[in-house]
């Protein structure tokens, strides 16, 4: 199989990730729930992984790294724990349903106001509109770092400055960028980010988290056993326990930590460069196909791979072939895995005019090869010619 | 290491569980998010695991098996999704903080009323009190099947009858019984149960779930990507998507399914019999130690193992040795892993009078051996004699 659906999950995991998972299965007990060696070792690994994650995202306090089961859970915790009745929030049309649906639910249950910033014809956010939508009751800006549909990158430095200047919390969904693009919370002024573990970070499913880099106090979401303060009727006040309840996914956290080790070893800029070189190769190989359409600013792909500022996603459609059919042909005839149709980002499909046809999304990982890309180009051309 | 902290997590997992996890890591894509083989295979495995779980608990609809990251998450979803302002609920002092803290939060935020049924001197629930506490606004009874402190089993048939007779929802936390004791939702009239995957079911951490066996409609908790109905502003109405948002823990679910296969192969009555025989052996070996105290009805342990009705937990204290010290001695001097102190069940410690000293909890798995139990008996005796 040629796997180009890495934006859904990275299929091939580094060997050290698989080893770490098996090590955890064999040697680690429950963390924070016993004083014997296997439980202490487990607790130590969990803490070290918090440190790795904190450092990886340029954050300063490992105790403010909260483990969740995926980015969606992190986003739910942050959004439901932050907004009160009557608050206003600025977001964008590039958001995934993991942000939209919590916001819509808050709109309905807590009467919060939402403004969505649109995109221009090149697919970029209309940056000058952020400031225009700030109201007296605006509490936060929440943006998707990389669109899971178009692969366009949001300019976090710009938005971060706008947020800071107006004293707003800056929250970022890094599901599609963590592990592919360097993120520095301190530099960009991100207060809270939510990540998933099983995509660019090469961890297993069931992992993800929240990283907090400010004194923001997020209200509890799930509550329950915390291993400490057993006799307190409420969840402990302190992070991370404040937002974590019940037994952690030890095996998953071990795998996630190993994924970050792998990225640090290769170097995130090398990973980005390789993925951009593959993306550019695919783009160059198919751009002259009659009726092909790209839903992103392709001028970026004329640059050298190391200079390309884009997520590891190439979104296309070809006149006369529904995106779902293209994905089916590629899957059934060529064993090439991509995702098509709607991508859980309804406002983005509306903005791009692809509500009906969807989009065929090719997404890359460090483990893809030039030979695979060439085979994909050949396959697409054959399908078009038929 | 001699591991007797299986009530925290089963440390030794069956080989087929480890194999299933590695198979998933190697062959499965994201489920419900693509139409290529690896994604379809993954989706099929997830559905088959829902079927296995539904059947395992005597429930009738696999689509009402909801995957969560642990029992705590399941209990939060059920409790926050069920109770409205002014409702009343009956629970028990045997509950874990995974039930207590959500209830206390509901008491504070939604003004729900709670009555806790106590235990008698033998450690059993005061069954005649359930009916006495039913009010006009009582909506549900929620009980812990097996106390994680004492190991006492609640009589689900009795409580289920009381619930049915009074038209109340019957919710059960089976964290300490799933995989150790046969549970039949149809027979006992359980409407909803919440389980964890990494204890008696032998799955990995990060797994658990809710099984619904009635037409109860639980409100959404986490909302977000569902892979279907992308353009719906709300989470889809249908189970399981109604209560599941974001990418599932594929690897974990594969491991959990394999854990259930293992239990089915051995037979849950054989597992229970072996665990009771080990518990009885430990009890008989230490019961004559001067100053030893058991916090459960020990007359049960006079029966043959197959007839003993008890969870796989033996709770003890010995006069003059704090439970934490006993655990430390066992861990450091003998490499024996148990849990001591407070067990995230504050009302139970109050009922048993062990708020200060805690309890030394020995908990068993199918993989423990008689030789291990004999070594533990010897170690405890040596510690006492010192």
């Amino acid at each position: 199989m040629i796997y180009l659906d890495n934006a859904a999950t990275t299929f091939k995991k580094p060997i050290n990730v698989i080893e770490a998972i098996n090590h955890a299965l064999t040697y680690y007990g429950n963390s924070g729930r016993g004083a014997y060696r296997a439980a202490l070792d487990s607790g130590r690994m969990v803490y070290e992984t918090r440190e790795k994650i904190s450092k990886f995202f340029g954050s300063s306090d490992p105790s403010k790294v909260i483990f969740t089961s995926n980015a969606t859970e992190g986003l739910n915790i942050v959004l439901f724990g932050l907004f009160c009745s009557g608050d206003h929030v600025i977001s964008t049309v590039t958001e995934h349903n993991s942000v939209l649906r919590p916001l819509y639910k808050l709109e309905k249950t807590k009467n919060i106001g939402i403004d969505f910033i649109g995109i221009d014809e090149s697919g970029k956010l209309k940056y000058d509109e952020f400031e225009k939508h700030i109201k007296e009751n605006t509490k936060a800006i929440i943006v998707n770092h990389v669109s899971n549909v178009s692969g366009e990158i949001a300019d976090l430095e710009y938005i971060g400055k706008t947020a800071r200047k107006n004293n707003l919390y800056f929250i970022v969904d890094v599901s599609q960028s963590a592990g592919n693009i360097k993120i520095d919370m301190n530099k960009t002024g991100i207060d809270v980010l939510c990540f998933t573990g099983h995509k660019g970070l090469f961890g297993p499913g069931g992992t993800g988290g929240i990283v907090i880099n400010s004194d923001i106090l997020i209200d509890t979401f799930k509550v329950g056993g915390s291993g400490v303060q057993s006799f307190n009727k409420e969840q402990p006040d302190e992070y991370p326990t404040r937002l974590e309840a019940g037994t952690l996914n030890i095996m998953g956290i071990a795998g996630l930590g190993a994924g970050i080790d792998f990225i640090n070893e290769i170097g995130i800029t090398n990973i980005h460069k390789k993925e951009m070189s593959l993306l550019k190769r695919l783009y160059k190989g198919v751009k002259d196909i009659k009726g092909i359409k790209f839903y992103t600013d392709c001028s970026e792909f004329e640059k050298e791979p190391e200079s390309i500022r884009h997520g590891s996603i190439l979104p296309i459609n070809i006149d006369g072939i529904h995106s779902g059919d293209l994905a089916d042909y590629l899957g059934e005839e060529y064993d090439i895995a991509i995702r098509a149709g709607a991508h859980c980002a309804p406002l983005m499909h509306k903005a791009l005019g692809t509500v009906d046809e969807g989009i065929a999304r090719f997404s890359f990982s460090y483990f893809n090869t030039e030979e695979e890309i060439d085979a994909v180009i050949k396959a697409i051309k054959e399908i078009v010619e038929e």
Side-chain angles (χ1 to χ4, degrees), chain A:
Chain A
M1 175 177 56
I2 296 177
Y3 185 80
L4 287 176
D5 194 15
N6 293 286
T9 195
T10 44
F11 184 69
K12 187 172 176 184
K13 307 292 183 192
I15 301 293
N16 72 314
V17 169
I18 294 173
E19 285 170 353
I21 290 168
N22 281 285
H23 181 84
L25 276 168
T26 315
Y27 295 106
Y28 290 151
N30 202 336
S31 72
R33 302 289 194 277
Y36 48 88
R37 209 185 49 213
L40 295 175
D41 286 348
S42 175
R44 207 153 19 231
M45 179 280 293
V46 169
Y47 185 74
E48 284 168 5
T49 308
R50 291 191 209 276
E51 286 185 317
K52 274 181 208 172
I53 291 169
S54 174
K55 198 172 162 199
F56 186 78
F57 288 117
S59 165
S60 44
D61 185 354
S63 74
K64 290 182 180 170
V65 172
I66 317 298
F67 288 113
T68 66
S69 55
N70 50 31
T72 303
E73 179 172 64
L75 289 160
N76 274 264
I77 292 172
V78 171
L79 297 174
F80 287 109
L82 185 62
F83 293 108
C84 308
S85 194
D87 282 340
H88 175 254
V89 58
I90 298 173
S91 191
T92 84
V93 297
T94 71
E95 306 310 311
H96 188 272
N97 269 335
S98 56
V99 167
L100 297 178
R101 282 182 173 158
L103 289 182
Y104 292 140
K105 191 172 172 186
L106 282 162
E107 190 179 34
K108 204 171 155 181
T109 57
K110 288 193 176 179
N111 197 31
I112 71 154
I114 319 166
D115 275 305
F116 293 107
I117 306 301
I119 52 172
D120 63 21
E121 281 177 9
S122 75
K124 304 235 178 304
L125 288 169
K126 296 179 180 168
Y127 290 101
D128 56 332
E129 294 211 350
F130 279 97
E131 200 132 19
K132 289 182 198 162
H133 283 91
I134 295 171
K135 303 178 186 179
E136 239 178 58
N137 61 338
T138 305
K139 192 173 204 168
I141 299 177
I142 172 156
V143 300
N144 192 350
H145 188 196
V146 166
S147 162
N148 70 309
V149 180
S150 71
E152 283 285 344
I153 303 182
D155 184 343
L156 298 186
E157 287 203 42
Y158 180 95
I159 307 170
K161 268 182 207 156
T162 308
R164 263 198 311 284
K165 200 176 114 189
N166 294 280
N167 210 17
L168 307 177
Y169 291 121
F170 184 31
I171 306 164
V172 183
D173 171 7
V174 300
S175 298
Q176 290 300 340
S177 56
N180 306 97
I181 297 166
K182 174 90 185 143
I183 297 163
D184 188 325
M185 295 181 79
N186 268 329
K187 203 175 143 197
T188 45
I190 300 172
D191 292 296
V192 185
L193 65 73
C194 298
F195 68 93
T196 187
H198 67 99
K199 297 183 178 178
L201 294 179
F202 290 121
T207 61
I210 304 167
V211 186
I212 302 172
N213 195 36
S214 77
D215 56 2
I216 191 170
L217 210 59
I218 296 167
D219 198 9
T220 58
F221 188 67
K222 293 191 296 192
V223 293
S226 46
V228 292
Q229 300 180 28
S230 257
F231 292 92
N232 183 345
K233 284 176 88 171
E234 297 184 11
Q235 199 70 6
D237 268 342
E238 299 75 23
Y239 292 120
T241 328
R242 180 182 182 87
L243 299 179
E244 286 176 356
T247 297
L248 291 171
N249 179 356
I250 298 302
M251 168 188 78
I253 291 169
L256 174 59
I260 291 175
D261 289 342
F262 176 82
I263 294 166
N264 287 337
E265 203 185 304
I266 305 291
I268 195 162
T269 52
N270 293 325
I271 289 174
H272 182 67
K273 183 179 164 185
K274 178 159 182 198
E275 291 174 359
M276 290 307 104
S277 124
L278 297 170
L279 189 161
K280 183 174 174 172
R281 193 176 186 95
L282 179 56
Y283 168 73
K284 293 277 177 190
V286 299
K287 77 182 172 56
D288 295 325
I289 289 173
K290 207 184 145 202
I292 198 162
K293 199 168 169 188
F294 303 97
Y295 299 89
T296 190
D297 180 5
C298 295
S299 66
E300 200 67 28
F301 309 141
E302 301 303 328
K303 298 179 186 167
E304 290 305 306
E306 56 268 36
S307 306
I308 297 176
R309 290 273 305 153
H310 203 270
S312 303
I313 284 169
L314 187 68
I316 74 167
N317 264 320
I318 302 171
D319 270 353
I321 307 173
H322 189 279
S323 70
D325 292 336
L326 178 60
D328 284 350
Y329 292 141
L330 287 171
E332 283 165 26
E333 305 294 325
Y334 300 93
D335 205 12
I336 294 168
I338 67 159
R339 183 158 168 208
H343 297 269
C344 294
L347 301 185
M348 194 60 177
H349 283 289
K350 283 178 190 165
L352 297 171
T354 56
V355 169
D356 292 330
E357 73 246 60
I359 281 183
R361 180 182 73 181
F362 296 77
S363 53
F364 308 85
S365 133
Y366 180 74
F367 290 114
N368 288 121
T369 64
E370 294 187 348
E371 292 69 31
E372 288 180 334
I373 301 303
D374 294 342
V376 172
I377 294 167
K378 190 163 169 279
I380 295 174
K381 286 184 173 168
E382 284 177 8
I383 291 168
V384 171
E385 278 158 22
E386 261 170 28

